[in-house]
Amino acid sequence: MGRAISRASLLALAAALGATAALAQEPAAPVRESTEFTLNTDQPRAPEQLAVTFDRADLSIKVIPDDKAIDAVAVLDFTATAPIERLVVELDTLLTVSEVAVDGVAVPAGQWANPEGRMTVELGRTLQPGQTAQLRIAYAGQPRVAPNSPWDGGFQWATTPDGKPWIATAVQGEGCDLFWPCIDHPLAEPGRVDLHITVPSDLSAPSNGRFLGKQDHGDGWTTWNWSAAHPNTYAIALNIGPYAERTTEYRSRFGNTFPMTYWHLDSDDPAKVDALFAQFSPMMDFYEATVGPYPFADEKMGVVETPHLGMEHQTINAYGNEYKLDGRGFDWLLHHELSHEWFGNQLTNRNADDMWLHEGLGSYMQPLYDRWLNGEGWMQASLVNQRKGLANKFPVVSGSEKTEDQVYNGDIGPGNDIYSKGSLIAHSLRMLIGDEAFFRSVTRLVYGTATPRPGSLQPRFGTTEEFRTIVNEEAGRDLSWFFRGYLYQAALPDLRQTREGDRLSFEWVTGDGGVFPMPVEVEIDGRRQTLPMNDGRGSVTAPVSAHVRIDPDNKVLRRLEHIEAWKTAAAAAAADD
């Protein structure tokens, strides 16, 4: 669902997205701590990492529930783009490396090191541009136990209601290196990841990509084989449990078909499983109609039930909302995680500073889905829920590179504002430029083209500035003021009013004092007019006795004193408790 830092943050997000049921809190697990380096992700890459393409990762991982351990072999293929003399990957030091080899030749212990979780392997030669190298790493041990998955991640070793092992990984905030050797950076996606997950034979192991079959070894262990193209590094996920499988063939509005599968606990209430599974097709149709074709149709659309709340693991989204209903006619968590197949997996931000492209645009899909299902009033109610939770302490986008923690941690960055404020900014943009320009802009951002078609899609990386450029082109005007006033300032634009007799004047004031020519609708005794606010100012004739409503359809995100007063009173009441 994107990373949140704390349960309190998640509760606020859940309220903003419309979830009304309480979220359960499991006791915190004891932590064998990884290094500070390993626990951070999205950090600058080493020069050697910048000088290679990561072609393929072949991961053989045996998961041993009784020991809460793994025994694994990773085979990593690289191609040099500049001369290098060593390979550099990340791997948690909690895992013991027993063997390192390059191109089938063992590397002596003195020629590789992994002191803080950044492993350096000497090649013994210079790898020239275009040449390849294959790195094999055998490792084992007890990986980091998630203190509070998915917000503080790692492995979650849980049990089902009937006492069977139920295991899941969620590592967005800490990175792929918690359980497999990788280049822990969003721009270092492998071209392909092949997974061979060995588990006790009475359990299942659904994972990313296409299912390539399983092999029962006849000794109580079975290997499940999967293959995924261009996965986000943190999206590789292990999910192990006594699962039953529901599958249907989805017929896309684009003419192609692909499987949609839900792996759920075999002890679940069949009626609840049926009700959730019935939501898959209409959600998919909404996203394909609104954004474009499902990006991973040559693999699958997959969902797996997990002991944690949720996470956008490419083609195997984690779902742990326990079938809760909130009166909206759909499961908010299922819908939000599915949004990330477009906003996060197909489109990946180049840096965490642009994380609102994942979370804000993904969160805006829920009010739009409320409208798709039940009409305008339901969308407005959803937007009001989001509006109440804004912090406005830090800009949604800073304009400089950030780590994930610097973005998701609301004490030092925008935190949950990347979700709800990002959504409301998207809504204001749509109201400003119209549906055609807005949705064409979103589609171009996600796919790199306004006319995506199944079979020709490649995941891509994007930035806020790229989105601004696309919006300018589609709207036919320069909207830099909009992006500057909303995304790069902490404070919301403030529409200030003054009156002189029958003349009512307005002025926009933004965090940086820049001109903000956002048009505003004004309703005077039931009659509406639009003030263009070309220089950030406008005025209208309105008798003192007239009833005046500003922005009657709530098209414009702006500072509202009554919400600030409510939040101040709520904070004071909480302090008194």
Side-chain angles (χ1 to χ4, degrees):
M1 60 188 319
R3 181 182 175 227
I5 294 302
S6 66
R7 182 172 183 264
S9 296
L10 194 278
L11 284 165
L13 172 62
L17 294 180
T20 57
L23 300 174
Q25 172 73 66
E26 294 184 2
V31 179
R32 296 168 54 250
E33 202 52 275
S34 308
T35 68
E36 181 179 355
F37 175 83
T38 295
L39 292 179
N40 281 296
T41 190
D42 205 10
Q43 298 180 99
R45 286 173 286 175
E48 295 86 354
Q49 294 174 325
L50 292 168
V52 296
T53 59
F54 192 174
D55 303 320
R56 181 184 294 262
D58 187 282
L59 307 177
S60 298
I61 304 175
K62 184 176 185 179
V63 180
I64 309 167
D66 289 347
D67 298 336
K68 296 184 179 180
I70 61 174
D71 190 353
V73 174
V75 180
L76 315 176
D77 293 331
F78 300 98
T79 299
T81 58
I84 55 170
E85 296 180 349
R86 59 190 63 85
L87 294 174
V88 179
V89 296
E90 278 80 56
L91 181 64
D92 197 339
T93 57
L94 293 181
L95 301 167
T96 300
V97 175
S98 59
E99 181 185 0
V100 177
V102 174
D103 294 332
V105 178
V107 178
Q111 294 181 20
W112 67 266
N114 190 33
E116 293 295 321
R118 174 164 276 178
M119 177 182 285
T120 301
V121 181
E122 299 292 338
L123 293 172
R125 61 188 175 97
T126 300
L127 199 66
Q128 298 294 340
Q131 293 182 330
T132 63
Q134 186 176 85
L135 175 61
R136 182 182 188 274
I137 302 172
Y139 60 100
Q142 293 182 315
R144 183 181 196 249
V145 174
N148 191 20
S149 186
W151 312 290
D152 195 352
F155 269 69
Q156 185 172 4
W157 305 89
T159 55
T160 63
D162 53 358
K164 296 176 182 177
W166 191 16
I167 303 160
T169 60
V171 298
Q172 183 188 16
E174 298 77 21
C176 46
D177 50 338
L178 286 193
F179 70 98
W180 64 280
C182 59
I183 299 176
D184 186 17
H185 192 280
L187 297 183
E189 293 181 358
R192 179 167 294 279
V193 174
D194 294 325
L195 289 152
H196 316 283
I197 307 165
T198 302
V199 299
S201 295
D202 59 344
L203 304 177
S204 300
S207 193
N208 309 84
R210 289 186 296 114
F211 182 48
L212 302 182
K214 59 183 179 179
Q215 180 183 3
D216 188 332
H217 301 291
D219 58 358
W221 296 90
T222 295
T223 299
W224 294 64
N225 301 292
W226 302 87
S227 184
H230 302 289
N232 282 347
T233 51
Y234 74 81
I236 296 299
L238 305 182
N239 305 280
I240 297 151
Y243 290 118
E245 178 182 335
R246 289 289 305 274
T247 297
T248 190
E249 194 77 4
Y250 178 75
R251 296 188 177 275
S252 166
R253 60 172 54 222
F254 291 92
N256 58 321
T257 61
F258 52 88
M260 295 194 302
T261 304
Y262 177 39
W263 284 271
H264 61 88
L265 293 183
D266 57 13
S267 58
D268 284 354
D269 181 344
K272 293 181 178 179
V273 171
D274 290 346
L276 187 75
F277 192 65
Q279 297 183 38
F280 283 30
S281 289
M283 285 186 186
M284 182 63 69
D285 188 48
F286 162 78
Y287 278 112
E288 290 206 318
T290 303
V291 185
Y294 178 63
F296 308 106
D298 55 344
E299 296 179 353
K300 68 177 183 303
M301 179 276 207
V303 177
V304 61
E305 190 174 5
T306 56
H308 62 79
L309 187 65
M311 183 60 70
E312 65 272 18
H313 296 142
Q314 188 169 309
T315 71
I316 190 67
N317 283 331
Y319 170 81
N321 200 34
E322 299 177 347
Y323 307 102
K324 294 184 177 78
L325 302 178
D326 62 11
R328 298 167 71 185
F330 67 97
D331 190 295
W332 73 273
L333 182 71
L334 180 69
H335 191 273
H336 181 74
E337 301 306 351
L338 183 57
S339 77
H340 286 307
E341 296 286 33
W342 286 264
F343 306 105
N345 295 334
Q346 166 62 27
L347 165 73
T348 303
N349 53 216
R350 287 187 176 272
N351 179 262
D353 192 46
D354 296 304
M355 191 62 73
W356 84 279
L357 297 176
H358 296 192
E359 304 295 6
L361 293 177
S363 295
Y364 187 44
M365 294 300 110
Q366 292 204 350
L368 290 176
Y369 195 55
D370 279 305
R371 181 172 179 260
W372 175 277
L373 290 180
N374 297 309
E376 187 74 18
W378 288 81
M379 181 183 76
Q380 291 296 335
S382 184
L383 291 169
V384 169
N385 275 339
Q386 292 182 345
R387 179 65 178 82
K388 290 179 178 179
L390 305 191
N392 303 314
K393 292 181 179 179
F394 297 91
V396 173
V397 181
S398 73
S400 60
E401 290 203 353
K402 300 290 185 182
T403 66
E404 286 209 7
D405 185 66
Q406 291 171 327
V407 172
Y408 278 100
N409 187 337
D411 292 330
I412 58 175
N416 285 332
D417 276 2
I418 63 175
Y419 294 83
S420 295
K421 191 173 183 178
S423 170
L424 293 160
I425 290 169
H427 181 68
S428 293
L429 179 61
R430 176 177 154 243
M431 294 296 97
L432 176 65
I433 67 177
D435 280 6
E436 182 177 359
F438 176 78
F439 288 115
R440 279 178 61 89
S441 296
V442 170
T443 298
R444 286 181 57 187
L445 177 71
V446 170
Y447 300 98
T449 175
T451 56
R453 291 293 179 268
S456 62
L457 308 178
Q458 291 291 324
R460 63 183 310 275
F461 299 93
T463 66
T464 301
E465 285 304 295
E466 180 194 22
F467 189 41
R468 179 185 62 81
T469 299
I470 292 171
V471 168
N472 286 348
E473 292 172 356
E474 292 296 337
R477 49 190 156 137
D478 186 0
L479 294 173
S480 298
W481 60 267
F482 179 97
F483 283 75
R484 186 196 70 247
Y486 275 127
L487 289 162
Y488 293 92
Q489 315 297 321
L492 289 174
D494 186 9
L495 185 63
R496 299 182 181 176
Q497 305 176 39
T498 56
R499 177 182 282 278
E500 293 185 7
D502 286 349
R503 202 69 184 164
L504 191 59
S505 298
F506 302 91
E507 179 183 7
W508 281 112
V509 177
T510 61
D512 66 349
V515 175
F516 191 72
M518 173 65 84
V520 180
E521 286 187 354
V522 180
E523 183 180 279
I524 302 171
D525 286 337
R527 294 185 177 183
R528 294 189 185 187
Q529 58 182 294
T530 299
L531 301 184
M533 306 291 287
N534 289 328
D535 60 352
R537 296 180 175 87
S539 62
V540 65
T541 298
V544 175
S545 61
H547 177 62
V548 178
R549 286 199 300 166
I550 310 302
D551 187 29
D553 292 330
N554 299 300
K555 294 180 178 180
V556 181
L557 176 62
R558 60 191 175 99
R559 177 177 176 247
L560 295 174
E561 291 183 359
H562 64 274
I563 288 185
E564 290 183 355
W566 165 71
K567 294 183 72 172
T568 299
D576 289 341
D577 290 344

